[in-house]
């Protein structure tokens, strides 16, 4: 049963445009994440938030910015997309931010930059 | 930082055969180990979570082995069936806070009938 909802499912845009992806979880979890899955299926963490506070910020270009209005929502904005941003962006949540926590993933947003 | 290498990237087996996927990691402080399954068009779902204190963990139709000495984690599907066809990812984290899972590169498993 899906409990981490991502919109949109797909997005096609041109280089230089701004895009925003939304993520909402209904599990009551405190921690949310954005992962990037590239064309080779490699998953890399980008950001994580615990109760609206940024706790992990990996080395990503400054054009990426996460936005959290409350602990159930974590959006991702890309200010000026580049071709290398084409990927699937996966949102996830977990009960807490500890290493033992299970992550629950959304179905992803596939971004194509032309 | 931690690096996780997963092999093989692709694996094709016949129904009823076993399938083994292996991950090696570098950080000796790694403590929690995960296997996630991603079916085509679906999100990643947890298959099993193991802790460094337990070496053998059995699930329904599969076994997870952890060898801390060799820093090796493996997933063994004992009698694969077509429904097992999916991408499988290992992931590793340490005991500290700020859960930061490091994923392997994934294995695409195809089980033919």
């Amino acid at each position: 049963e899906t409990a981490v909802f991502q919109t949109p499912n797909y997005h096609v845009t041109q280089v230089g445009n701004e895009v925003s992806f939304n993520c909402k979880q209904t599990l009551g979890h405190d921690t949310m994440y954005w992962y990037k899955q590239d064309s080779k299926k490699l998953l890399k963490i980008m950001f994580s938030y615990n109760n609206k506070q940024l706790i992990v910020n990996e080395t990503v270009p400054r054009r990426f910015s996460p936005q959290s209005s409350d602990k159930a929502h974590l959006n991702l904005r890309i200010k000026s997309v580049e071709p290398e941003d084409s990927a699937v962006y996966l949102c996830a949540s977990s009960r807490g931010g500890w290493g033992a926590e299970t992550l629950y993933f959304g179905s992803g947003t596939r971004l194509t930059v032309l | 930082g931690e690096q996780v290498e997963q092999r093989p990237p692709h694996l094709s087996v016949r129904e009823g055969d076993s399938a083994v996927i292996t991950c090696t990691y570098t950080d000796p402080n790694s403590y929690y180990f995960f296997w996630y399954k991603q079916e085509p068009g679906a999100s990643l779902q947890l298959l099993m979570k193991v802790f460094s204190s337990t070496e053998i963990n059995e699930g329904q139709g599969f076994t997870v082995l952890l060898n801390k000495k060799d820093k090796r984690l493996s997933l063994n599907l004992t009698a694969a069936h077509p429904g097992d066809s999916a991408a499988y990812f290992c992931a590793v984290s340490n005991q500290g806070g700020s859960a930061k899972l490091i994923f392997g590169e994934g294995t695409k498993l195809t089980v033919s009938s």
Side-chain angles (χ1 to χ4, degrees), chain B residues 31-103:
Chain B
Y31 196 84
Y32 303 105
F33 305 87
F34 303 78
W35 284 101
Y36 282 86
K37 178 181 179 182
Q38 186 178 31
E39 295 181 0
S43 59
L44 280 86
Q45 302 229 328
L46 180 73
L47 195 62
M48 180 169 274
K49 174 168 63 177
V50 302
F51 301 89
S52 70
S53 57
T54 309
E55 293 184 342
I56 301 175
N57 296 268
E58 294 187 359
Q60 198 164 8
F62 61 89
T63 302
V64 171
L65 298 176
L66 174 63
N67 183 327
K68 286 187 68 184
K69 178 174 170 287
D70 293 342
K71 297 192 196 69
R72 187 187 307 271
L73 176 74
S74 65
L75 172 67
N76 187 341
L77 282 78
T78 44
H81 55 85
D84 292 328
S85 295
Y88 292 82
F89 295 87
C90 64
V92 176
S93 68
N94 60 34
Q95 272 186 292
S98 302
K100 195 166 80 171
L101 275 186
I102 307 299
F103 280 86

Side-chain angles (χ1 to χ4, degrees), chain A residues 14-19 63-64 78-82 85:
Chain A
Q14 308 246 344
V15 170
N17 284 350
E18 177 175 315
V19 299
R63 60 181 180 276
F64 289 84
I78 313 174
K79 211 168 182 182
S80 176
V81 296
E82 300 283 339
D85 298 337

Side-chain angles (χ1 to χ4, degrees), chain A residues 62-103:
Chain A
R62 292 178 64 181
R63 60 181 180 276
F64 289 84
S65 58
Q67 298 163 323
S68 180
S69 55
D70 56 58
K71 70 176 190 177
H73 295 84
L74 182 63
N75 300 331
L76 182 67
R77 185 179 77 160
I78 313 174
K79 211 168 182 182
S80 176
V81 296
E82 300 283 339
E84 61 264 31
D85 298 337
S86 294
V88 176
Y89 291 86
L90 290 168
C91 176
S93 73
S94 66
R95 193 174 50 178
W98 299 100
E101 298 289 352
T102 298
L103 267 61

Side-chain angles (χ1 to χ4, degrees), chain B residues 98-113:
Chain B
S98 302
K100 195 166 80 171
L101 275 186
I102 307 299
F103 280 86
E105 303 98 325
T107 296
K108 186 175 178 185
L109 173 66
T110 304
V111 182
S112 56
S113 54

